[in-house]
Amino acid sequence: MTTREEIKELNDHLQAFPKAEDIFVKEQQWLKNHFLPLMSIDLAEITPEWAGQKVYMICPFEPYDGYIGNNTTEYHNEYTAPNWLAFRLTDDNKFEFLGKEGYFWRTAIHNWDFNSEMEKEFQKMQQFYEKYKANFDKYGALVNLQNPERKGKLNKKNYLERLGGEIEYGNWSSSIERKEYPKAFEMKIQYGKGDEEAVFDISYQGNPFYLVAETGAYDWVGSGGYIIMLYEPVSRIVLFTFDY
């Protein structure tokens, strides 16, 4: 599968700022409290065989520091681990979270303090997101907040850093090396002479995952690292991890 980088233009398969209520199954609308919706991606962009299957690039509020899921290990299951979480794509293109609500620290389950300094940082993310969305509505592009125009042209940011292609080595890979990934999946790294030659084998019940996209959270919410989304088409599982 070919890789395209620095995606600054949309098309019928790539849409920005989808509605959160259109992403998650009706039984799990509480997920809107944990993610900001960035893009919808029709998987025809990856391969024509997947046309009509639509996945969503989403940005979690957590973590404040460390990894998402670090503080909630008693609520993990075989589909979740620190820095890993999974959804199943339903037949009507909704995300069904395969973990437990307690995976998220920012809940009443964990007596989250919604007046805390950490919460204030998450609210800043929300505010940045709303500003970017307002600029998108105004300019029809994801643009720099401080300088939306430069020399008479839009100062565009990337919707996605990468679309399709091979999975690349990064800080996120350390959890595979330590075997600290969700146990429903098999994950291996075969190394060449350098990190850039690392080959990933990530699968579910023998079926491989493929890279859908990567994006920089900071381009959407003003902070954070890379969001990495993988897809396994047989089970229709969408797997997320994060590179900080």
Side-chain angles (χ1 to χ4, degrees), residues 176-194:
I176 300 179
E177 296 165 336
R178 298 192 303 266
K179 298 187 181 300
E180 296 175 351
Y181 50 82
K183 301 311 176 188
F185 311 113
E186 292 290 332
M187 300 191 187
K188 299 176 183 177
I189 309 175
Q190 182 177 346
Y191 295 100
K193 294 180 180 180

Side-chain angles (χ1 to χ4, degrees), residues 19 34 48 73 76 81-82 92 96-97 100 125 158 161 177 181 199 203 217 219 225 234:
K19 295 179 180 178
H34 301 289
T73 53
H76 292 191
D92 59 347
E96 175 191 2
F97 182 52
K100 303 175 182 178
M125 291 173 59
N158 296 329
E161 291 295 326
E177 296 165 336
Y181 50 82
V199 176
S203 64
D219 281 333
V234 178

Side-chain angles (χ1 to χ4, degrees), residues 151-221:
K151 296 182 179 180
K153 296 182 179 180
L154 290 178
N155 188 11
K156 295 181 180 180
K157 299 169 74 73
N158 296 329
Y159 293 108
L160 300 171
E161 291 295 326
R162 297 177 67 227
L163 182 64
E166 300 299 323
I167 305 170
E168 293 188 346
Y169 188 90
N171 291 333
W172 67 275
S173 311
S174 62
S175 60
I176 300 179
E177 296 165 336
R178 298 192 303 266
K179 298 187 181 300
E180 296 175 351
Y181 50 82
K183 301 311 176 188
F185 311 113
E186 292 290 332
M187 300 191 187
K188 299 176 183 177
I189 309 175
Q190 182 177 346
Y191 295 100
K193 294 180 180 180
D195 290 346
E196 68 277 3
E197 298 179 16
V199 176
F200 291 86
D201 180 1
I202 301 176
S203 64
Y204 177 70
Q205 297 181 351
N207 299 307
F209 278 90
Y210 300 89
L211 177 68
V212 174
E214 298 180 11
T215 194
Y218 45 81
D219 281 333
W220 297 83
V221 301

Side-chain angles (χ1 to χ4, degrees), residues 139 143-144 146-157:
Y139 296 103
V143 297
N144 185 286
Q146 286 72 36
N147 300 292
E149 297 183 45
R150 178 187 293 170
K151 296 182 179 180
K153 296 182 179 180
L154 290 178
N155 188 11
K156 295 181 180 180
K157 299 169 74 73

Side-chain angles (χ1 to χ4, degrees), residues 77-112:
N77 65 9
E78 65 270 30
Y79 294 102
T80 56
N83 210 41
W84 292 92
L85 53 98
F87 298 86
R88 180 171 281 112
L89 184 67
T90 64
D91 291 341
D92 59 347
N93 288 331
K94 306 288 187 184
F95 271 4
E96 175 191 2
F97 182 52
L98 297 179
K100 303 175 182 178
E101 186 173 1
Y103 174 81
F104 301 98
W105 194 22
R106 187 175 176 251
T107 67
I109 294 171
H110 300 291
N111 299 311
W112 179 261

